[in-house]
Amino acid sequence: MTERLYYDDAYTTRFEATVAQQGEWRGRRAVALERTYFYPESGGQLADRGTLAGAAVVDVQAGDDGRVWHVLAEGAAVDQGAAPAALDWARRFDHMQQHTGQHVLSAAFERVLGAPTLSSTLGAEKSVIEVQRGDVGWQDVARVEAAANQVLWEDRAIVLHWTDEAGAARFALRKPPKAKGRIRIVEIPDWDLSACGGTHTRRTGEVGVVKVVRWDKVRGNLRFEFLCGGRALRDHAWRTETLLEAAKRRTLSERDLIEHLERAAAERDHLQRQLDQVNARMLESEARELTGDPPAGVARFDPERARDAVRRLGLACLGAGAPWVAIGAGGPQP
């Protein structure tokens, strides 16, 4: 088994590794190390990236036998024995922010709304949690965000505990542990206790901020998309730029933009209904002309008419009395 050093130290990014075994992971060249700081994909958290003896590590996965396989870039190789290793710190810290933020946010949903977290996924661009809740509004979400961010800004020190199944029962865990044997418990004092094997920041303040950006109904529950730390800042930057630029182009204040868009949408819908009525009258006229008097069959090919327009013209010809219609078009959908 590979000794997983990141359990107790998520901040070491360079270390001297020892390659214990050469092998493959799903058809790709990989090596197992005796001890590693690389986090393998698990528990909804993505794997680390980095280098090993100069070769790019493009994935990290844990085998059923406890060995951690470091998948190398195509064409790369690492010899047996000592090998200098380096983690991609920007990626690692981003994952630490998202994972710690998820613990804080999940506890906030449960404390503020009584909505326990059913599952979580920490993606490369967005993270989601599914909570047991039928409906919610922006004011509810604001209360949850305020509670979560207050915990972040208090910069509470995060405490790690190692115990066993019997010892875990003495902790008021938010969810029962899935792991057997040695169990690692992540404690955010006076806020959350969770059995978790992921990487986390030392203090809540390092997460910076947590922001819910959207939610959907899923299987009678709610799935929330959220961002923490640097991701939240980058998201806020492009949303602010888009909002300000859209308002500027229409010489409006940002707060008047939604009202303006709703008014424009209503005007568009009104004009579309008028256009549909005009098109319907033109279609009926064209159909009567093609069908003739007395009505005859219609054979026609239009090189540019849209497929739905062809269908409507054919039906209009039948409505005008044509006994049969053979009509087609060349595009944009032949």
Side-chain angles (χ1 to χ4, degrees):
M1 295 179 62
T2 303
E3 184 181 355
R4 306 189 190 192
L5 303 174
Y6 60 82
Y7 278 144
D8 297 308
D9 177 7
Y11 286 80
T12 292
T13 60
R14 296 180 179 274
F15 64 102
E16 191 69 20
T18 301
V19 177
Q21 186 175 353
Q22 304 279 346
E24 289 187 347
W25 180 267
R26 296 180 179 175
R28 297 181 294 173
R29 184 190 294 270
V31 295
L33 305 182
E34 290 182 358
R35 307 161 77 234
T36 188
Y37 283 98
F38 282 88
Y39 181 82
E41 181 179 1
S42 61
Q45 181 178 336
L46 296 175
D48 282 329
R49 299 286 187 270
T51 60
L52 195 59
V57 176
V58 297
D59 194 11
V60 186
Q61 297 288 334
D64 294 335
D65 57 2
R67 283 178 292 187
V68 176
W69 291 99
H70 302 67
V71 181
L72 306 178
E74 186 175 355
V78 178
D79 295 333
Q80 205 85 357
L87 276 71
D88 180 340
W89 171 246
R91 178 183 174 91
R92 159 64 71 82
F93 187 66
D94 171 59
H95 292 174
M96 291 161 61
Q97 285 185 315
Q98 309 313 312
H99 204 153
T100 307
Q102 180 265 307
H103 281 231
V104 174
L105 184 62
S106 289
F109 268 108
E110 191 159 342
R111 286 171 175 265
V112 176
L113 299 181
T117 294
L118 304 175
S119 65
S120 64
T121 303
L122 308 175
E125 297 181 356
K126 63 182 182 181
S127 300
V128 296
I129 57 172
E130 182 178 337
V131 306
Q132 191 174 359
R133 175 88 176 189
D135 202 3
V136 75
W138 277 112
Q139 289 185 340
D140 298 317
V141 172
R143 290 166 52 213
V144 171
E145 288 178 333
N149 283 299
Q150 185 62 42
V151 172
L152 300 186
W153 301 333
E154 289 173 0
D155 197 28
R156 302 184 188 184
I158 295 173
V159 184
L160 303 178
H161 305 273
W162 283 101
T163 185
D164 54 18
E165 294 177 63
R170 295 193 291 269
F171 291 88
L173 297 177
R174 181 159 42 82
K175 294 174 65 175
K178 296 180 180 179
K180 304 295 182 181
R182 292 185 76 213
I183 296 175
R184 180 173 176 258
I185 294 175
V186 178
E187 178 186 4
I188 301 173
D190 300 320
W191 190 252
D192 186 58
L193 282 162
S194 296
C196 182
T199 58
H200 305 84
T201 57
R202 291 192 183 107
R203 306 185 69 90
T204 60
E206 293 177 78
V207 177
V209 68
V210 58
K211 184 72 180 77
V212 173
V213 293
R214 63 173 53 89
W215 64 88
D216 303 290
K217 289 190 175 182
V218 181
R219 299 178 293 274
N221 301 308
L222 293 177
R223 182 172 56 194
F224 290 87
E225 180 181 328
F226 69 95
L227 303 168
C228 297
R231 292 190 192 184
L233 179 61
R234 291 188 292 272
D235 181 80
H236 177 69
W238 79 258
R239 289 179 190 271
T240 300
E241 179 183 352
T242 302
L243 176 63
L244 293 177
E245 186 63 26
K248 179 181 176 182
R249 292 183 185 184
R250 290 157 182 82
T251 62
L252 298 168
S253 72
E254 305 91 85
R255 295 186 181 277
D256 293 334
L257 186 59
I258 290 180
E259 181 180 351
H260 170 81
L261 292 175
E262 289 178 343
R263 186 167 58 250
E267 293 173 356
R268 177 206 60 200
D269 293 343
H270 176 67
L271 291 173
Q272 185 63 54
R273 286 192 294 270
Q274 291 183 319
L275 181 61
D276 290 343
Q277 292 171 0
V278 171
N279 286 336
R281 288 195 294 269
M282 292 178 61
L283 192 66
E284 291 174 2
S285 177
E286 183 181 6
R288 286 195 300 270
E289 182 180 345
L290 289 173
T291 302
D293 187 16
V298 175
R300 180 179 176 81
F301 180 83
D302 193 319
E304 295 183 353
R305 195 181 295 250
R307 176 180 294 183
D308 186 60
V310 168
R311 174 181 175 275
R312 286 188 280 112
L313 178 58
L315 292 174
C317 290
L318 292 174
W324 57 265
V325 176
I327 187 170
Q333 292 179 307

